[in-house]
């Protein structure tokens, strides 16, 4: 009963603030106004190039109206990806998934902000180095996929579990893995199940075109068979960073820094707009906030926490 009241309270507060949830998510002050959120870290203020881009106009410009008709081409869909959008959530409820999906949007294709984002990506493209490209390609291959762990006979099984602990290994610099931290693995698997669901529900509901669909001067290092908004790599990086920073709070800054690098790598790669990354960051924190107030998440979190004492 207490859990249900908490969830209702959170949802009501969020609904009351929808009028200022534009491109960049929940207002930052919302998290500090209620004791119900006191157990988790506040989301960090918007920063870096996202802060400047946020100031620009996101509305359609009639002089470039033809751009607003461009959406992600449906012929490029991968069927197995679509299945994720129909999966059941693990920690979240279906209504929470729907609420988060309906609370975000991207700048219009013809908007001042989108043009500035495209120019930013072109500048990154012109400046990217071989060292950057190598790192970007490495990060592009990282990512836990629930379907690869349905059976141990899948030849991708072990590599997939290794990716589940990528952020932990990168930050802590020790040989942590699923076998030595099984309770942490269980928590992260549940979080990632909801992450993949939300990623593709948002993508296929909003159908944002990739940057190279709007500007042919953008030459991506690799084309992606899903819509652009929001960034899946950024979403999983931040949801893990936020979750892990509650388990190992002294490493929060390092977890967040790595998540930012992963997000930026998608821009350097030429496959995501900066607003795809920033909204993914906001969604990730919103997800954790909602998960936090469920018995199921708390049970798994406390079990995982016991492994880090």
């Amino acid at each position: 009963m207490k859990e249900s009241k908490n969830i209702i309270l959170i949802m009501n507060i969020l609904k009351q603030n929808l009028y200022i949830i534009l491109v960049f998510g929940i207002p930052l002050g919302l998290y500090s106004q209620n004791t119900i959120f006191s157990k988790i870290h506040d989301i960090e203020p918007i920063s870096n190039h996202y802060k400047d881009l946020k100031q620009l106009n996101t509305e359609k410009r009639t002089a470039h109206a033809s751009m607003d008709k461009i959406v992600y081409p449906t012929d490029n869909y991968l069927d197995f990806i679509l299945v994720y959008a129909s999966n059941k959530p693990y920690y979240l409820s279906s209504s929470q998934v729907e609420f988060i999906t309906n609370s975000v949007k991207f700048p219009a294709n013809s908007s001042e902000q989108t043009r500035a984002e495209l120019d930013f990506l072109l500048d990154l493209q012109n400046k990217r180095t071989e060292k950057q490209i190598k790192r970007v390609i490495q990060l592009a291959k990282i990512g836990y996929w629930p379907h690869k762990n349905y059976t141990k006979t899948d030849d991708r099984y072990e590599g997939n579990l290794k990716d589940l602990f990528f952020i932990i290994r990168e930050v802590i610099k020790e040989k942590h893995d699923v076998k030595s931290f099984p309770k942490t693995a269980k928590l992260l698997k549940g979080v990632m199940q909801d992450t993949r669901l939300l990623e593709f529900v948002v993508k296929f509901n909003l159908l944002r075109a990739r940057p190279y669909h709007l500007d042919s001067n953008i030459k991506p290092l690799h084309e992606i068979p899903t819509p652009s908004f929001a960034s899946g790599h950024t979403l999983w990086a931040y949801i893990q960073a936020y979750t892990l920073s509650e388990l190992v709070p002294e490493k929060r800054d390092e977890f967040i820094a790595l998540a930012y690098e992963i997000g930026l790598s998608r821009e350097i790669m030429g496959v995501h707009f900066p607003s795809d990354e920033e909204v993914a960051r906001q969604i990730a924190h919103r997800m954790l906030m909602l998960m936090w107030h469920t018995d199921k998440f708390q049970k798994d979190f406390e079990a995982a926490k016991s492994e880090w004492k």
Side-chain angles (χ1 to χ4, degrees):
M1 181 65 70
K2 183 178 180 181
E3 175 189 343
S4 298
K5 289 182 179 179
N6 285 347
I7 292 174
I8 292 170
L9 177 57
I10 294 169
M11 300 293 279
N12 286 339
I13 293 170
L14 293 178
K15 287 176 182 177
Q16 291 167 11
N17 283 270
L18 266 178
Y19 70 97
I20 48 177
I21 302 176
L22 296 173
V23 178
F24 293 104
I26 292 177
L28 301 177
L30 178 60
Y31 294 94
S32 59
Q33 291 172 2
N34 250 279
T35 56
I36 197 169
F37 305 131
S38 62
K39 288 186 177 180
I40 65 171
H41 290 82
D42 289 347
I43 190 171
E44 287 73 9
I46 186 171
S47 60
N48 302 309
H49 54 293
Y50 306 122
K51 186 175 182 179
D52 293 331
L53 289 167
K54 180 190 174 185
Q55 308 305 317
L56 302 177
N57 195 306
T58 65
E59 301 303 315
K60 296 178 180 179
R61 294 186 294 175
T62 54
H64 305 277
S66 61
M67 292 186 68
D68 294 312
K69 298 178 181 179
I70 302 173
V71 296
Y72 187 85
T74 56
D75 290 346
N76 292 354
Y77 291 174
L78 290 180
D79 290 342
F80 89 90
I81 292 293
L82 285 167
V83 172
Y84 274 108
S86 62
N87 284 346
K88 292 182 179 180
Y90 191 79
Y91 291 122
L92 298 174
S93 68
S94 295
S95 61
Q96 288 170 336
V97 170
E98 182 180 3
F99 179 81
I100 292 174
T101 302
N102 292 335
S103 70
V104 294
K105 67 177 183 178
F106 58 86
N109 290 350
S110 63
S111 70
E112 179 187 14
Q113 182 174 323
T114 295
R115 183 63 260 172
E117 292 190 25
L118 289 168
D119 291 340
F120 177 82
L121 295 179
L122 286 169
D123 187 54
L124 284 181
Q125 177 176 289
N126 292 334
K127 293 177 179 177
R128 64 189 176 201
T129 64
E130 289 301 319
K131 182 178 180 181
Q132 279 183 319
I133 291 173
K134 184 178 179 180
R135 176 64 169 171
V136 163
I137 297 300
Q138 177 202 6
L139 293 174
K141 296 177 181 178
I142 304 298
Y144 174 82
W145 291 92
H147 74 276
K148 294 181 182 179
N149 281 109
Y150 287 154
T151 172
K152 293 182 179 180
T153 58
D154 191 322
D155 59 6
R156 303 166 298 178
Y157 181 83
E158 293 298 336
N160 197 41
L161 290 179
K162 185 177 180 181
D163 282 356
L164 185 65
F165 273 56
F166 174 76
I167 288 183
I168 294 174
R169 290 195 313 276
E170 285 279 300
V171 169
I172 300 180
K173 310 296 183 185
E174 295 179 14
K175 191 179 179 181
H176 294 316
D177 57 29
V178 171
K179 291 180 181 178
S180 56
F181 283 77
K183 295 173 183 177
T184 300
K186 184 176 186 293
L187 176 70
L188 292 180
K189 284 179 180 180
V191 167
M192 285 301 299
Q193 183 170 318
D194 282 357
T195 298
R196 290 304 184 192
L197 165 62
L198 246 169
E199 173 188 353
F200 294 113
V201 168
V202 171
K203 281 181 181 291
F204 290 112
N205 270 277
L206 299 182
L207 293 178
R208 188 181 199 181
R210 294 278 173 174
Y212 46 85
H213 293 136
L214 300 187
D215 191 331
S216 60
N217 292 312
I218 293 179
K219 308 299 181 185
L221 297 178
H222 180 66
E223 293 193 4
I224 310 295
T226 58
S228 194
F229 184 86
S231 168
H233 271 72
T234 309
L235 183 58
W236 73 251
Y238 273 105
I239 191 61
Q240 286 205 16
Y242 291 145
T243 302
L244 292 169
S245 70
E246 301 303 329
L247 289 173
V248 193
E250 65 272 18
K251 293 289 185 179
R252 182 178 178 87
D253 289 347
E254 294 171 71
F255 288 136
I256 298 299
L258 179 55
Y260 173 76
E261 182 195 1
I262 291 171
L264 182 61
S265 76
R266 308 304 284 170
E267 297 167 37
I268 296 171
M269 195 173 183
V271 297
H272 274 295
F273 297 90
S275 50
D276 295 339
E277 319 302 342
E278 175 56 22
V279 172
R281 182 180 79 99
Q282 298 279 350
I283 291 175
H285 195 271
R286 196 173 315 174
M287 285 177 65
L288 180 61
M289 182 182 71
L290 292 171
M291 289 175 181
W292 191 263
H293 295 281
T294 65
D295 289 340
K296 188 175 185 179
F297 182 90
Q298 281 297 321
K299 180 181 178 181
D300 289 349
F301 178 82
E302 289 302 321
K305 193 173 182 180
S306 68
E307 295 180 326
W308 294 92
K309 289 183 179 178

